[in-house]
Amino acid sequence: MDAEPGRYSPLWDVHLAARAPGAAPTRQTEFAKIADLGRAGTLTAPDGGPFGPSGFIVDCPIVSQG
């Protein structure tokens, strides 16, 4: 799901990930860098397959209390 930059979407495309064997953990805060790690094989899907969308979407709307 691609949204326009700066626009919030309540639908999140989940990408579950696991470190490849022997890969040292590092803190990542940008999806582009995480995608790079997936292309490099440092991150995989939990079953060891290629990193990518996990096949489900989370609905996380903004809720206001007042």
Side-chain angles (χ1 to χ4, degrees):
M1 272 182 257
D2 292 331
E4 292 179 38
R7 299 209 43 198
Y8 177 79
S9 172
L11 301 178
W12 297 359
D13 188 10
V14 177
H15 292 62
L16 297 177
R19 293 269 169 203
T26 59
R27 183 172 185 252
Q28 300 299 321
T29 59
E30 297 177 31
F31 182 77
K33 291 182 181 179
I34 293 168
D36 288 343
L37 291 171
R39 281 189 287 280
T42 304
L43 286 180
T44 67
D47 64 1
F51 173 75
S54 298
F56 61 94
I57 295 175
V58 174
D59 183 8
C60 191
I62 296 173
V63 177
S64 175
Q65 289 184 322

